[in-house]
Amino acid sequence: MSSDTSTNPEQDAVLRASIDRSLRHPVMFFLTSGAAWLAVSIILGIVSSAKVHSPGFLDSCSWLTYGRTQAAHLNALVYGWGFQAAFGVIVWLMSRLSRQECRASGLILTAGHIWNLGVSIGILGILGGFSTGMPWMEFPVFAWPVILISYFAIVIWSFIQFKVRPEGHVYISQWYLMAALIWFPWVFITANVLLHVIPGNPVMAAGINAWYKSSLIFLFFTPIALGTAFYLVPKVSGRPIYSYSLAKLGFWSLAVIMPWAGMQKLTGAPIPYFLPYLGATATILFFIPAITAAVNLLKTAISSGDLVNNSPTLRFTMAGIVGLMVMAGAAVFLNIPGQTLELSQFSMSGYGFEILSLYGFFSFVMFGSIYFIVPRITRREWLSRRLIKMHFFISIYGIVLIALVAIFGGIQQGIGQEEFGKSYITIAERTFPYAWAVTISWIFILISNVFFFMHLTVMWLRLGRRSNHPTLLNTEHGHSPHGEEGDIDNCGPGSASASAH
Amino acid sequence: MSSPSQQPTNKPDLDESINVTKAHGRVDRETAATAREERLVDNGHEPVSLWVIVACGIVLLIAGGVLGKAGTLFSYGSTFQEGYVRGKAPGAGDEGPVAKTALAAFSGKGAKIYSKCNGCHGADGRGDGANYPSLAGSKWVAGDTQKLAMVILNGLQGPTSTGKVYGAGIMPAQGAGMGAEDLAGVMTYIRNSFGNASGDVVTVEMAQAALELSAARAKGGPVNAEEIAADHMTMLPGEALDPMTLVNPATLKPVE
């Protein structure tokens, strides 16, 4: 195990504290700028969703038409928030697991700024009307090399740290993180080269685009979130991973199955006949890596149920794992050719599934890790448990609503579309309440994240609690299981050395 | 950074230059959060629940069923059925008969005209081998269209394309009362039936040209092998029509 070490616990704690300190600038930059992009994305999401049911909303300005805001909304969510949260967690987690201080935090910080520049130009390009029109790849063509180069500049240090790690054993989180770090450039270069550099048949281009989208979800966001959860759950609960061999089965099934997914979005298109079926099969089989990992984590955490309720980190992470199980069920339910695939193929199911995976699963795990990491790198504790609770519950309301829309609204819309003899207005009427539901759920998510943004800003300004006690959700700060509270800068009776174990 | 591990360590603990309480305090401040962390402990080896295995097995079966439906690798026929014609949307206004591809529409018209011919050449187009020649595989049916048009419109005297003289000896002219659309239909039908597969359409424009050529022939009466070889081994003039063009089967005009 990564923490099996000959040093004594106190020296070990000093090492971990020095790792955290060495990373405080880049990690805090990724988390705060990621949160800022999340805010942009949510607001654009509300605007674009409102246009679905109220077409007159903000219709006077070409910058705010649906085709631009919807694309900008998803790209800000993926590249602005998703990737940057992932970078913050990857950089921190790989240093922790490789037990080394980061020696390139200045370079990572610079590369992070370049990444943000690329995303900003991309989003402005989309809003200005220079979108490529390819889902999740709408950034103007010149943006992708910038993004790719800054990606390598950010993560190369994690590869190096992994390479020179002191111990031979590779923990399951490192499996997931390393795999995601390798898969993303493969997927990104393949899709961009085939679509922008040597464009071929446009029908197949749509297929490659669908594969790219699916691969980002299943080969980047999913392994990053799973690797993080496999670190956080045993770390906070103090329990071993329930079954380590099951964890490896989950990893390898993900690696073998998921690259095949994606082309089911082109069912009925003139591409080789087996490709959509292969995509549908692989997406259905996502159930196996998802459920094995989710059950493993649930069984690990369930024995410390009170802690799941009490720790912000565990509560968000386990909610994300429940989101993963819903996502796995939806992957089976929505992709059966001849029954549901036709209904979900061109309906809001696709969007709902993307948001379920990006927010209901990935973002929740990222929030969990942020609640774990930020106090360690700022050396301040979260200010208020009420803010965290508001963030949690209102986010849950929002994502549950979106999941319902994804699964049932999309099917309803699909049934309407199949009745091609009826006029379009009947389909629109069928979809109308679900379109409203999407807007309402984005408003919920916005409100919940206002609490999060406020809280994160306070932490960024280092105005958090100067305490040696963590902020727990159901325990008053003074009555923590960690003994008496003491000021972090004034070694009192309840200070770390008094309660060290 | 000012980690205590970088403090000089060769000094005795009670050296007056080190305030032990203060040094300890710095460790405490640095490690307030990390000191209370749990450690990642040994790997668990608990057994996998039965219901996980059963659920994964069910999903494997579903996925196998889906993959089983994938057919052969590139079976375009499953996506695009042979002769598929888009149906009219129910409730749409009356826009005439459902459009067909040109090949299907011309052949369909020709099949009705052919009922005049099948008394001699047979419903299968193979004649009887003794009195009436076969249209299947005939060199005068395939290839250049003008010779076939001349035979149909004027009849044929003497040997056929194989050089054989059949029992009937003469084919009577069929041109009386035959319009350009009828001729185009029956020629397209013959050239694409009975095993013939020219794959092209004889258009109304070409058939009109054939009627004019036939009327302008110097000598009347049936054509014969010498005249065909001398004058008619050529395609009828006119612009070719893509056989997959959608046309109105009644008027044979392309649909918009």
Side-chain angles (χ1 to χ4, degrees):
Chain A
M1 296 305 307
S2 54
S3 64
D4 285 346
T5 164
S6 54
T7 56
N8 65 43
E10 195 151 328
Q11 279 176 307
D12 195 52
V14 169
L15 173 63
R16 278 181 273 133
S18 62
I19 291 171
D20 293 347
R21 265 188 82 76
S22 74
L23 280 167
R24 62 193 187 282
H25 293 303
V27 171
M28 212 52 200
F29 172 75
F30 283 127
L31 299 184
T32 47
S33 61
W37 279 116
L38 178 62
V40 171
S41 167
I42 293 172
I43 290 165
L44 287 169
I46 293 173
V47 170
S48 68
S49 169
K51 286 165 186 293
V52 176
H53 51 76
S54 312
F57 181 65
L58 294 179
D59 62 350
S60 56
C61 173
S62 67
W63 282 62
L64 293 172
T65 46
Y66 179 80
R68 300 187 189 181
T69 51
Q70 175 72 7
H73 151 63
L74 273 171
N75 280 276
L77 189 64
V78 170
Y79 301 99
W81 155 246
F83 269 87
Q84 295 209 82
F87 288 149
V89 170
I90 291 165
V91 167
W92 184 81
L93 211 47
M94 287 305 272
S95 285
R96 273 290 191 105
L97 289 168
S98 307
R99 305 188 60 72
Q100 290 157 60
E101 286 181 32
C102 182
R103 292 181 185 83
S105 51
L107 285 168
I108 294 176
L109 191 61
T110 312
H113 279 91
I114 297 171
W115 175 280
N116 266 282
L117 184 72
V119 174
S120 308
I121 294 172
I123 297 288
L124 288 177
I126 292 171
L127 290 177
F130 301 98
S131 149
T132 63
M134 301 168 181
W136 289 34
M137 298 173 69
E138 280 108 337
F139 285 169
V141 177
F142 59 78
W144 75 267
V146 178
I147 282 179
L148 186 68
I149 290 166
S150 52
Y151 170 82
F152 278 120
I154 291 164
V155 301
I156 191 76
W157 314 102
S158 295
F159 280 96
I160 293 171
Q161 283 182 326
F162 180 78
K163 177 74 185 158
V164 298
R165 69 191 182 282
E167 293 159 61
H169 180 83
V170 180
Y171 185 59
I172 185 71
S173 295
Q174 286 166 301
W175 283 88
Y176 276 116
L177 294 183
M178 287 305 291
L181 290 183
I182 294 165
W183 284 331
F184 171 68
W186 167 56
V187 169
F188 192 75
I189 292 171
T190 305
N192 279 292
V193 166
L194 288 180
L195 294 182
H196 295 321
V197 182
I198 41 171
N201 186 301
V203 179
M204 205 59 209
I208 293 166
N209 191 203
W211 171 80
Y212 172 78
K213 225 162 62 153
S214 157
S215 295
L216 272 201
I217 292 176
F218 293 128
L219 294 179
F220 186 78
F221 291 120
T222 298
I224 294 290
L226 282 179
T228 310
F230 270 112
Y231 178 83
L232 291 177
V233 172
K235 189 76 179 169
V236 178
S237 69
R239 306 265 170 186
I241 293 289
Y242 178 75
S243 168
Y244 201 72
S245 42
L246 192 61
K248 284 197 169 171
L249 174 73
F251 172 79
W252 283 111
S253 53
L254 186 82
V256 171
I257 295 168
M258 295 332 293
W260 303 98
M263 297 252 185
Q264 76 273 15
K265 287 291 162 204
L266 269 81
T267 302
I271 59 175
Y273 192 65
F274 69 100
L275 282 174
Y277 284 89
L278 199 57
T281 305
T283 311
I284 288 170
L285 284 178
F286 175 66
F287 188 83
I288 291 175
I291 287 297
T292 48
V295 167
N296 213 349
L297 289 161
L298 282 173
K299 291 253 190 188
T300 308
I302 206 97
S303 47
S304 25
D306 280 350
L307 204 54
V308 176
N309 202 16
N310 217 359
S311 152
T313 302
L314 265 194
R315 193 190 275 195
F316 271 94
T317 307
M318 295 324 291
I321 295 306
V322 173
L324 172 66
M325 295 176 81
V326 175
M327 190 185 150
V332 177
F333 178 70
L334 294 175
N335 287 294
I336 300 189
Q339 301 190 23
T340 50
L341 184 54
E342 284 82 343
L343 304 180
S344 65
Q345 192 179 359
F346 299 115
S347 66
M348 52 177 35
S349 287
Y351 174 72
F353 186 80
E354 285 159 17
I355 299 304
L356 182 60
S357 55
L358 283 177
Y359 198 88
F361 166 46
F362 174 78
S363 296
F364 267 83
V365 177
M366 288 301 113
F367 290 139
S369 64
I370 287 173
Y371 282 117
F372 188 81
I373 294 171
V374 170
R376 280 159 176 74
I377 55 178
T378 59
R379 293 182 55 239
R380 295 289 184 274
E381 295 298 334
W382 292 98
L383 200 59
S384 157
R385 57 205 176 93
R386 285 193 191 81
L387 287 178
I388 302 178
K389 279 186 181 172
M390 294 296 249
H391 181 207
F392 180 79
F393 282 114
I394 302 177
S395 271
I396 289 282
Y397 300 149
I399 196 63
V400 165
L401 204 51
I402 285 196
L404 290 175
V405 169
I407 296 165
F408 298 109
I411 295 295
Q412 282 288 319
Q413 188 184 10
I415 292 170
Q417 288 166 347
E418 288 290 301
E419 293 169 2
F420 56 89
K422 295 201 177 152
S423 74
Y424 186 77
I425 191 71
T426 59
I427 308 170
E429 279 167 1
R430 229 177 226 280
T431 320
F432 190 72
Y434 294 100
W436 263 106
V438 172
T439 307
I440 292 169
S441 54
W442 276 119
I443 291 173
F444 269 122
I445 289 176
L446 178 67
I447 295 169
S448 78
N449 280 293
V450 165
F451 294 107
F452 171 64
F453 300 143
M454 276 165 46
H455 214 171
L456 191 66
T457 309
V458 167
M459 292 295 279
W460 178 62
L461 297 170
R462 303 200 72 201
L463 295 173
R465 292 189 305 120
R466 301 159 62 88
S467 165
N468 61 344
H469 278 186
T471 303
L472 296 175
L473 294 177
N474 293 331
T475 316
E476 290 292 344
H477 299 321
H479 303 88
S480 151
H482 295 277
E484 274 187 82
E485 188 172 23
D487 190 307
I488 195 168
D489 284 340
N490 180 17
C491 174
S495 66
S497 62
S499 64
H501 41 273
Chain B
M1 61 156 286
S2 60
S3 159
S5 59
Q6 290 166 5
Q7 298 280 320
T9 52
N10 55 350
K11 291 180 180 171
D13 271 359
L14 293 176
D15 188 305
E16 286 177 5
S17 66
I18 289 184
N19 181 335
V20 176
T21 316
K22 199 175 160 195
H24 242 251
R26 288 169 89 167
V27 176
D28 284 338
R29 286 201 298 279
E30 294 290 337
T31 63
T34 52
R36 63 168 188 261
E37 273 178 21
E38 302 280 355
R39 321 186 95 205
L40 289 175
V41 282
D42 285 338
N43 304 331
H45 294 287
E46 302 291 330
V48 180
S49 308
L50 184 62
W51 73 265
V52 174
I53 297 170
V54 171
C56 289
I58 292 171
V59 170
L60 263 178
L61 280 178
I62 295 173
V66 169
L67 202 56
K69 279 197 250 171
T72 49
L73 288 181
F74 295 90
S75 53
Y76 284 93
S78 310
T79 317
F80 301 96
Q81 281 158 13
E82 204 68 33
Y84 169 79
V85 178
R86 188 174 57 188
K88 193 171 62 176
D94 185 12
E95 292 164 355
V98 175
K100 289 184 179 173
T101 61
L103 194 58
F106 278 72
S107 293
K109 194 172 188 78
K112 290 185 193 130
I113 312 284
Y114 184 76
S115 61
K116 277 165 69 180
C117 319
N118 65 12
C120 299
H121 289 293
D124 62 356
R126 295 189 182 276
D128 64 356
N131 295 318
Y132 309 114
S134 170
L135 302 176
S138 161
K139 283 184 217 144
W140 286 354
V141 171
D144 295 330
T145 49
Q146 188 169 323
K147 57 191 185 311
L148 175 61
M150 291 303 136
V151 172
I152 293 172
L153 292 174
N154 301 296
L156 177 67
Q157 174 105 48
T160 66
S161 64
T162 56
K164 179 178 170 184
V165 180
Y166 282 83
I170 184 164
M171 167 176 164
Q174 306 292 330
M178 189 178 267
E181 286 167 6
D182 300 335
L183 179 63
V186 77
M187 284 179 72
T188 304
Y189 177 70
I190 293 171
R191 286 162 59 82
N192 291 289
S193 307
F194 324 128
N196 298 330
S198 72
D200 58 4
V201 172
V202 177
T203 64
V204 178
E205 183 194 1
M206 294 174 189
Q208 186 60 46
L211 288 174
E212 285 160 12
L213 276 172
S214 174
R217 264 176 81 231
K219 47 181 177 172
V223 295
N224 55 37
E226 292 82 37
E227 185 188 342
I228 287 173
D231 297 341
H232 303 309
M233 294 301 275
T234 172
M235 294 298 280
L236 288 165
E239 197 179 333
L241 179 68
D242 180 355
M244 301 318 281
T245 312
L246 287 179
V247 300
N248 182 324
T251 63
L252 301 184
K253 297 253 172 26
V255 292
E256 294 303 319

